Every structure is written in structure tokens, then in C-alpha cells.
Amino acid sequence: MLSSRVRLIPRTVRLVHSLIYNSCHSSMDLKALLFSLNDFASLSLAESWDNVGLLVEPSPPHTVNTLFLTNDLTEEVMEEALQKKADLILSYHPPIFRPLKHITWKTWKERLVIRALENRVGIYSPHTAYDAAPQGVNSWLAKGLGVCTSRPIHPSRAPNYPTTGTHRVEFSVNGTEDLDKVISAVKRIADVSVTSFSTRTDDEEQTRISLNCSQEALIQVVAFLSQSRQFYQKTEILSLEKPLLLHTGMGRLCTLDESVSLATMIDRIKRHLKLSHVRLALGVGRTLESPVKVVALCAGSGSTVLQGAEADLYLTGEMSHHDVLDAASQGINVILCEHSNTERGFLSDLRDMLGAHLENKINIILSETDRDPLHVV
């Protein structure tokens, strides 16, 4: 009897452990989850050419118990996601980029959509929104360089202007009668806000009018002011800019606290990306012992982002042949690691950050079959 009871203990422990684990995660409605994901990294940070957000949506309501993370959604990865009962796939790269004219079994991307809908699995892609985010892919890539300070190569701007309108128009008015007439006229123009304040010019009291207006309203404002030579000659038109966002944008320019040799930097990058090989183009006049103090990096494809950046080293996944030649001719070393190798490792950090951000309400798992399609042989 005693031995029988002893054999039952491990099974009981496993059962209790399973119940505890399952109770740690509840679920989220898809719409609530999408709101939280956008709060984590706003899709407004993505490049205008990108295709981000919810790409495939099962018919509502849709409950998400398991969020599945992958860098690329291939058919092999989709099979894994289905086996692991994923309810939403977060694919860093959007599997749908160019418009699909039909959904058939003919091409692999169409098959992804069919299988997702048949199995009630959503597909979400953040792509360049995660590139730009302060806690995103490029910041993760910079962690492998050593202690450094970094800033975006191309800073992102806020999605909205700090005030209403895209332009500010300022001019001065003499006399109360003219002031009332002007303010009354401009207030009748749509998308215009008006403020005024007193000024003194050449011992003469004046009222300075400041208008914030849209691009469309600006045409009407200028047309009105041009009717009076007095106003038109004293008018200033300012184009308002959206404010820059702190630590947010494409690429990173990283300045190391202490210079290291290029050979040391290569070892650090390999270790961080878990790679045995990288591709290296030595800058003209450089050797493996040349010092590296400033690194310009861009996860994925860096040709456009890195162009013109002043650095000792460019680090990215891929660049065109001629862009590599241009950089090398300027004495800039170039390290290429293959496109997704500079991105995929971020997903481990993302899993932890999303777990905390979502308060562990859902199960978050990483793909085990996702990998870069290129191998050194």
C-alpha cells in the first residue's frame, strides 16, 4: 500500500503544477490586446510605405489565450503555430505586403491567409514600428556593442502637431476698428484659431494677430490679407513642424565609452547574435586592429538608413554591393549578418517586455522553427 501511494505523488505534483501554470494566464479579447500592443509601441511610428497592424482577423468576437512570436511567418512556422494552439501570430515582418488579388491555394502567402482564417488565428505585424521604438529592435541590436550612448540616425516625429494647424500666420493691426474687422473676417474661415496681443513699434501701439491654420485655410487667409497692402507687407508665415520624439527613430548612432579594435567588435557582435560567421568589408586603410569608437547600425536592410552616417563601422543585415563599396571607400568598415539575423534575437526580449506590459494575462511563446533562410555552407 505504501509503495502504491508513493508512486501517485509525482503524478499529483505534476497535476498541481499544471493547474498552477494554467491559472497564471487568462485571456484577452483581440481588440483589447491590439489596443495594448499599440500602447506598447504605436503603429504611428512605422514608415509610411510599411504594412503594419492587424493583417488577418478572424470573425469577432475573438479571444486570445496564446500569442505566438516569430520574425518571419513561413508555412513551416504557421504549422508550428497551429500545433501550439496560437490565437494570434505576431510576425515582425508582414507576411502580406503587396496587395493580394485573390486568395487561392496557389502561392504560399495566400495559403497562410487561408490556414489562418480556417483555424481562427489572427496575424499582426509591427515591423518598422518596432524598429523605431525606444525599446525596439535597433536598441536591442545596440546592446551587443558594449557600453555606449546612442541616438536615432533618423529621429521620428510625433504623429500630431503640438497645436492646431500646420501653419502660423502673424501680422500687426493698427486701430480698434481695423482689429475688429480683421478678427471677424478670419474667424469665418474654417480651421483657423486666433490669438492677439498688444505690442509697441516706433512708439505706436499695435495689436499683433497670430493665426494657426491648416494648409487649406492658409490659402484663404493669404487671399484675405493680400486685399490690404498694410497687412500683406507685415505678414509672417511659419510652417509648423511635428516635434521630435525622444530616443525614437530609424537606426542608431552609437558612441562607445571606450574604443575597441575591429576584431573585438566582431567577436562581440557574433556573441550577441549567436553567429559563427559574419561578412566583413574593411574600409580603405583599415585593418582588424583599427579602432572602433562610433557604430552606425540598422537592423534588417540598412542601405538607406545608414547612407551618409559618419561612423567607423556600419552594422546591418544586408546592403547592396555598391553601397558597401561606397562606405568602404570612405574608410568605413561594414559588417553584414544577413537580414533577419539582426532582428530575430529581439523576440526573446519582446516576450519578456510584452509579458510585463500585458500583466501576464496571456501565454506568449516564441517560434522554434523560425530561422534566417540563408546559411553559410
Side-chain angles (χ1 to χ4, degrees):
M1 290 296 292
L2 181 60
S3 61
S4 176
R5 289 173 64 186
V6 170
R7 284 197 298 271
L8 286 174
I9 289 174
R11 184 178 177 184
T12 304
V13 171
R14 285 197 300 270
L15 178 60
V16 171
H17 179 271
S18 176
L19 290 173
I20 293 173
Y21 177 80
N22 289 333
S23 66
C24 291
H25 301 287
S26 52
S27 62
M28 294 184 71
D29 177 74
L30 177 60
K31 289 185 178 180
L33 177 54
L34 293 177
F35 181 86
S36 294
L37 289 175
N38 194 64
D39 183 57
F40 173 76
S42 174
L43 294 177
S44 65
L45 299 177
E47 296 290 279
S48 59
W49 49 261
D50 207 355
N51 189 35
V52 296
L54 186 62
L55 305 184
V56 175
E57 179 182 12
S59 58
H62 184 61
T63 301
V64 177
N65 295 290
T66 299
L67 175 63
F68 182 89
L69 307 182
T70 183
N71 201 78
D72 293 294
L73 183 55
T74 62
E75 289 189 279
E76 182 182 10
V77 172
M78 172 61 82
E79 184 62 37
E80 179 193 4
L82 296 179
Q83 289 178 1
K84 294 181 176 177
K85 309 298 183 185
D87 304 295
L88 179 66
I89 297 171
L90 188 154
S91 176
Y92 167 74
H93 285 138
I96 303 173
F97 192 77
R98 297 181 181 88
L100 297 175
K101 294 185 176 180
H102 36 66
I103 306 295
T104 69
W105 205 248
K106 186 175 182 180
T107 68
W108 70 276
K109 290 196 173 184
E110 293 174 59
R111 291 193 292 270
L112 288 178
V113 175
I114 294 171
R115 297 206 70 192
L117 291 174
E118 285 180 341
N119 291 276
R120 293 190 56 75
V121 177
I123 300 176
Y124 175 91
S125 176
H127 201 204
T128 52
Y130 279 11
D131 289 349
Q135 75 282 30
V137 183
N138 284 305
S139 294
W140 166 81
L141 185 58
K143 288 181 181 179
L145 303 179
V147 181
C148 64
T149 56
S150 67
R151 61 177 177 84
I153 297 174
H154 300 285
S156 296
R157 293 190 177 274
N160 301 310
Y161 289 92
T163 184
T164 57
T166 58
H167 292 77
R168 177 169 296 161
V169 182
E170 295 188 352
F171 57 94
S172 297
V173 177
N174 298 322
T176 304
E177 184 177 336
D178 285 341
L179 176 61
D180 293 340
K181 178 182 177 181
V182 169
I183 291 180
S184 176
V186 295
K187 280 187 173 179
R188 288 196 294 268
I189 302 174
D191 299 325
V192 172
S193 61
V194 185
T195 58
S196 61
F197 51 93
S198 298
T199 61
R200 177 178 288 274
T201 304
D202 298 330
D203 294 328
E204 182 181 6
E205 288 286 347
Q206 293 183 328
T207 300
R208 191 71 174 166
I209 305 295
S210 179
L211 312 175
N212 283 351
C213 60
S214 64
Q215 178 73 47
E216 295 76 16
L218 177 64
I219 299 173
Q220 298 179 60
V221 170
V222 171
F224 167 74
L225 295 177
S226 64
Q227 296 173 13
S228 170
R229 189 170 185 178
Q230 170 196 355
F231 300 147
Y232 193 69
Q233 290 182 336
K234 298 180 180 179
T235 298
E236 292 182 85
I237 301 177
L238 306 174
S239 177
L240 302 178
E241 288 191 345
K242 297 176 181 178
L244 296 176
L245 296 176
L246 194 64
H247 308 308
T248 307
M250 296 300 163
R252 293 293 184 270
L253 191 67
C254 307
T255 303
L256 299 173
D257 284 8
E258 295 183 6
S259 298
V260 297
S261 69
L262 176 58
T264 297
M265 181 56 67
I266 292 171
D267 288 339
R268 289 182 180 181
I269 292 168
K270 285 181 178 179
R271 193 179 312 117
H272 184 56
L273 300 183
K274 297 179 174 61
L275 296 175
S276 57
H277 298 85
V278 295
R279 290 190 288 166
L280 169 68
L282 282 172
V284 172
R286 303 294 187 260
T287 70
L288 289 175
E289 297 308 313
S290 295
V292 173
K293 178 72 172 178
V294 180
V295 180
L297 62 83
C298 176
S301 181
S303 286
T304 302
V305 173
L306 299 179
Q307 191 172 33
E310 296 183 4
D312 303 307
L313 170 66
Y314 284 177
L315 169 62
T316 186
E318 59 180 332
M319 286 175 66
S320 75
H321 173 77
H322 296 288
D323 287 334
V324 172
L325 290 178
D326 285 343
S329 72
Q330 301 171 56
I332 301 172
N333 304 299
V334 178
I335 293 178
L336 305 181
C337 307
E338 305 308 343
H339 189 112
S340 68
N341 288 335
T342 56
E343 304 161 335
R344 185 170 288 102
F346 166 71
L347 295 180
S348 294
D349 282 12
L350 178 63
R351 175 184 54 192
D352 297 337
M353 288 188 289
L354 285 181
H357 184 73
L358 300 174
E359 300 176 336
N360 295 313
K361 291 179 181 177
I362 59 174
N363 188 30
I364 304 175
I365 57 178
L366 288 180
S367 172
E368 297 178 10
T369 57
D370 174 44
R371 61 180 61 88
D372 195 275
L374 294 173
H375 303 274
V376 178
V377 295

